[in-house]
Amino acid sequence: MASLRGASAFVTGGGSGIGRAICVDLAKHGCHVTVADVSDAGARATADLAGPNATPVYCDVASSASQEAAFADHIRRNGGLDIAVLNAGIPERGDLLSAQDDSWRPTLDIDLGAVLDGIRLASQAMAPAGGRREGRQGVLITVASAGGFFSMPFSPVYAAAKAGVVHATRSVAKPLLERNIRICALCPEFVDTPLVAEARAQSGPQSPFYRATAGTLLTADKVAEAAHVLITDPNRVGQCLVLRMTGEWMEAVPPSQTLQYIPRPATSTSPIVPAWREWATQGLAGGRTTRTVMIRRLSNDFRAATRLETRPVPAPGPGQVLLRTVYAGINASDINYTSGKYHASTAAAEAQLPFPSGFEAVSVVAEVGPGVKHPRPGQAVATMVSGSFSDYTLVPARACLDVPGPSPEYVALLTSGLTASIGLQECGRLRKGETVLITAAAGGAGQFAVQLAKLAGCHVIATVGSEDKARLIRSLGADRAVNYRTEDLKAVLRAEYPRGVDVVWESVGGEWFGTCLNALAQKGRLIVIGAMSQYKGPDGWKPMPHRGLPEKVLNKSTTVTGFLLLHYTHEFRRHLALLISLYSAGKLKIILDSPEHVGIKAVPAAVDRLQSGQSSGKVYVRISEDPLPPVGAKL
Ligand SMILES: NC(=O)c1ccc[n+]([C@@H]2O[C@H](COP(=O)([O-])OP(=O)(O)OC[C@H]3O[C@@H](n4cnc5c(N)ncnc54)[C@H](O)[C@@H]3O)[C@@H](O)[C@H]2O)c1
């Protein structure tokens, strides 16, 4: 269906979340939309948003009669039906395994039964009396879920219902096409809607579901974009489109119309849901070797400096633990490390060559050496020691920091989160009501600096390099986002903050340092976190001359402080626990850059991504190419 203008669409569950975004999009493109929902208020609110092309209609999909009446009403008003989006759904109800009754049943009835009924009603409305539809092709979209493909230990009935929707969609694709109706399924991962909010509230902060949905979720608008493509692209038939939280679209089913049933011999004896403990040692099964990204020569060109090498995995000695890396973090300073900048001198760095790269990871303990009581095998830990770009690392047990699980969010809280938390506390000494300027605010550390400054009650100005990043940083609480590609930071500060700013979080360097220094108010504090703009270039990090620095500092009684995280190791445990508790309480968001980089060979590409300035939030690499245990697997 190339154009939606003049077509008519029926959307169940249009009164909220994904359904609402789809209704608004269809109406915007000239489609006459019936917003069918059991919530009158929700349906009306959507119709108000969508404008005159949208009509709210009461419809309880749990009742076949109610859904039939709503379809009939649509056909009366529009003279036919072109598009139906069967979207209404509810989260898991009751607890299947401990319920004494069938309190779980509404989930199956609404999320599967009502969708099957909707397929029946919509296809009969599009091709009356089972005949072939003439003229414009009909389109049916079922809203299933990525949960239709993976097991959801916390929502088994929901997963069963969604798997049913996927399978029904595939099964009817061919017979419906013979009636000139296309059907496809939308299968999003977690989306930021009231449905997820309700399920989170029910499951509580310690649950695997709560943790699985704690990061950056898809937005309903992104799902509506995918729905738009499925509706308008005539080549999509029977497609089950999985929308990843990383932003990727993946096809879950081959677009074949002749699905084959090929049973295979069950040769695998591994458990269905491997626990993390098994996963951590399974990588040792093929021989005790580990791959490590080694620095062979000093250079700020990461690719030129490093080589992937395979070496034996040593057994842990007394007081040591062997870790299997799950996620490793990427930092602007990785290229300072490869150029030897964190050694006492270039000569000292050269003398140590070759040495391993990467300095932060979240891992799972594979083995522990004699005398180690904590951590235990299978436990998730964070480390901030050299060599994290490796399959396995051997570290002292005392270097392991506790984290609730092996998730990339906790990698973000390491160098990035700790730099913001410790740096602002030790050097920023923020007071409520002060004005704070955060540079590179959409970066790994900047995102936390913005949020922590807001939590401290400050007014936050944030510099970013794109409109998307400006939106992102405003969503984290920034009061003023300055897109330096379209606005002049100096002019903004002069016009809008004539008194100056009290604290600057400066990580860009170069000319920016001067601009930020001049912007300080009396007794202002400037924290030098880094000088990212100076790291690159053929000759590496070259010092900048800053004329008049002593005079400027004196004239306004300002302070310029350097902050290097390495000097604050004694604060790591306390601040990491603090950040984790803020995150668990929903007071701190963690933005992860997407798409995810997978496999140790992807480390250089991830370093490039960070250096390109295109990334938003924390850049990280999933080190292992092996599939990870599913969400909720035992630690
Ligand atoms: N939010 C997610 O993470 C996510 C992920 C994958 C799939 N989905 C699916 O997307 C669909 C929409 O979910 P959402 O996240 O937008 O949820 P939502 O709660 O924001 O919206 C669901 C809408 O369905 C309506 N509804 C519920 N029961 C109904 C009934 N019996 N009759 C008619 N309307 C009814 C609600 O009133 C609400 O307006 C659901 O099928 C859901 O399972 C959601």
Side-chain angles (χ1 to χ4, degrees):
M1 184 177 293
S3 164
L4 294 171
R5 190 152 296 284
S8 81
F10 182 92
V11 182
T12 68
S16 173
I18 296 169
R20 172 171 291 170
I22 292 175
C23 288
V24 169
D25 175 72
L26 290 172
K28 188 174 84 190
H29 287 87
C31 199
H32 302 289
V33 184
T34 294
V35 185
D37 205 294
V38 72
S39 159
D40 280 328
R44 269 200 309 276
T46 298
D48 287 347
L49 269 177
N53 280 337
T55 309
V57 167
Y58 173 81
C59 167
D60 178 0
V61 296
S63 147
S64 199
S66 173
Q67 193 165 194
E68 187 166 359
F71 269 107
D73 177 83
H74 176 97
I75 290 160
R76 237 186 340 270
R77 280 183 291 103
N78 296 283
L81 173 68
D82 299 304
I83 301 159
V85 182
L86 305 172
N87 159 79
I90 57 172
E92 189 88 354
R93 293 278 152 84
D95 178 346
L96 179 69
L97 300 184
S98 56
Q100 301 300 311
D101 54 19
D102 66 352
S103 49
W104 52 269
R105 195 176 291 280
T107 305
L108 193 66
D109 289 346
I110 292 175
D111 291 356
L112 177 59
V115 175
L116 295 178
D117 222 19
I119 292 176
R120 172 181 76 88
L121 290 165
S123 58
Q124 289 174 10
M126 288 171 181
R132 202 184 140 74
R133 182 187 169 89
E134 298 305 331
R136 201 194 312 241
Q137 190 173 48
V139 181
L140 252 166
I141 304 294
T142 54
V143 180
S145 163
F149 299 100
F150 61 82
S151 56
M152 299 179 82
F154 36 83
S155 308
V157 182
Y158 182 87
K162 295 301 185 182
V165 172
V166 166
H167 209 54
T169 303
R170 290 188 205 172
S171 301
V172 296
K174 192 158 180 270
L176 282 183
L177 196 63
E178 284 159 9
R179 299 179 191 191
N180 198 19
I181 298 169
R182 278 193 301 113
I183 186 168
C184 290
L186 264 175
C187 307
E189 291 185 350
F190 298 115
V191 189
D192 191 3
T193 69
L195 181 139
V196 164
E198 180 190 329
R200 271 167 76 77
Q202 275 168 13
S203 61
Q206 298 312 320
S207 70
F209 177 78
Y210 197 92
R211 291 206 299 270
T213 52
T216 310
L217 305 181
L218 281 162
T219 62
D221 286 343
K222 287 280 174 211
V223 182
E225 263 174 43
H228 189 102
V229 170
L230 290 186
I231 291 169
T232 52
D233 182 349
N235 297 316
R236 313 236 177 195
V237 180
Q239 186 177 57
C240 295
L241 189 65
V242 175
L243 310 180
R244 310 281 327 266
M245 286 191 280
T246 56
E248 289 164 293
W249 291 6
M250 312 198 58
E251 179 151 18
V253 177
S256 154
Q257 290 306 304
T258 49
L259 293 164
Q260 285 177 304
Y261 171 60
I262 312 171
R264 287 173 199 276
T267 48
S268 167
T269 52
S270 60
I272 298 169
V273 179
W276 281 99
R277 188 175 171 167
E278 280 93 61
W279 182 86
T281 48
Q282 128 202 333
L284 298 170
R288 289 182 69 95
T289 56
T290 178
R291 295 165 305 165
T292 300
V293 180
M294 293 295 290
I295 303 169
R296 304 291 309 181
R297 71 180 180 85
L298 302 185
S299 166
N300 67 348
D301 176 345
F302 189 87
R303 287 175 194 271
T306 59
R307 207 167 68 193
L308 190 61
E309 293 182 3
T310 302
R311 32 188 71 218
V313 177
Q320 289 183 319
V321 293
L322 180 68
L323 304 177
R324 185 173 189 193
T325 314
V326 187
Y327 297 105
I330 305 290
N331 291 286
S333 40
D334 280 317
I335 60 171
N336 297 335
Y337 199 55
T338 55
S339 50
K341 285 280 182 296
Y342 298 131
H343 286 75
S345 64
T346 303
E350 255 159 10
Q352 271 196 24
L353 286 171
F355 54 89
S357 61
F359 43 78
E360 60 174 357
V362 164
S363 309
V364 174
V365 179
E367 294 171 355
V368 301
V372 174
K373 299 240 171 349
H374 179 91
R376 55 188 165 65
Q379 192 176 329
V381 294
T383 48
M384 295 177 70
V385 293
S386 151
S388 61
F389 298 149
S390 299
D391 296 314
Y392 283 91
T393 49
L394 196 60
V395 301
R398 64 173 187 286
C400 294
L401 304 164
D402 288 348
V403 287
S407 313
E409 282 80 5
Y410 300 118
V411 176
L413 293 183
L414 301 178
T415 306
S416 301
L418 289 174
T419 298
S421 183
I422 304 174
L424 283 178
Q425 179 173 315
E426 297 287 324
C427 309
R429 304 186 307 279
L430 305 185
R431 285 187 293 266
K432 199 169 168 196
E434 285 191 318
T435 300
V436 181
L437 169 64
I438 312 283
T439 61
Q447 59 168 321
F448 297 118
V450 167
Q451 296 182 77
L452 294 174
K454 282 310 294 176
L455 285 170
C458 297
H459 177 96
V460 173
I461 312 161
T463 70
V464 290
S466 74
E467 279 313 303
D468 279 350
K469 291 184 185 181
R471 265 192 297 280
L472 174 80
I473 216 67
R474 276 195 291 268
S475 76
L476 297 182
D479 299 284
R480 175 70 162 97
V482 182
N483 176 354
Y484 62 82
R485 292 188 203 277
T486 54
E487 287 188 283
D488 176 12
L489 177 63
K490 261 189 221 167
V492 170
L493 292 172
R494 214 177 294 127
E496 299 176 32
Y497 300 92
R499 189 187 65 81
V501 298
D502 300 298
V503 175
V504 182
W505 170 271
E506 215 301 82
S507 53
V508 180
E511 302 298 328
W512 281 65
F513 175 85
T515 304
C516 294
L517 183 69
N518 292 339
L520 279 180
Q522 220 178 62
K523 298 193 188 142
R525 285 89 69 198
L526 187 150
I527 316 167
V528 178
I529 304 300
M532 203 182 157
S533 65
Q534 293 170 237
Y535 300 164
K536 289 174 281 182
D539 304 320
W541 186 352
K542 286 268 169 283
M544 285 281 291
H546 289 292
R547 281 163 52 86
L549 179 62
E551 292 76 8
K552 285 181 182 171
V553 173
L554 179 65
N555 284 346
K556 290 199 239 167
S557 296
T558 53
T559 312
V560 175
T561 320
F563 177 82
L564 195 60
L565 188 60
L566 276 177
H567 302 144
Y568 292 85
T569 47
H570 57 288
E571 291 287 358
F572 284 5
R573 249 172 242 283
R574 188 168 72 82
H575 277 263
L576 184 60
L578 181 78
L579 289 168
I580 290 173
S581 71
L582 285 173
Y583 173 57
S584 306
K587 293 184 182 158
L588 187 74
K589 289 191 186 158
I590 299 177
I591 308 295
L592 299 174
D593 185 47
S594 64
E596 182 173 82
H597 299 270
V598 179
I600 196 164
K601 290 185 182 150
V603 167
V607 171
D608 288 348
R609 164 90 180 154
L610 188 142
Q611 296 293 336
S612 74
Q614 302 294 312
S615 57
S616 290
K618 184 70 188 177
V619 181
Y620 68 96
V621 178
R622 196 184 100 193
I623 291 292
S624 167
E625 293 89 354
D626 293 345
L628 300 181
V631 174
K634 214 168 102 231
L635 272 168

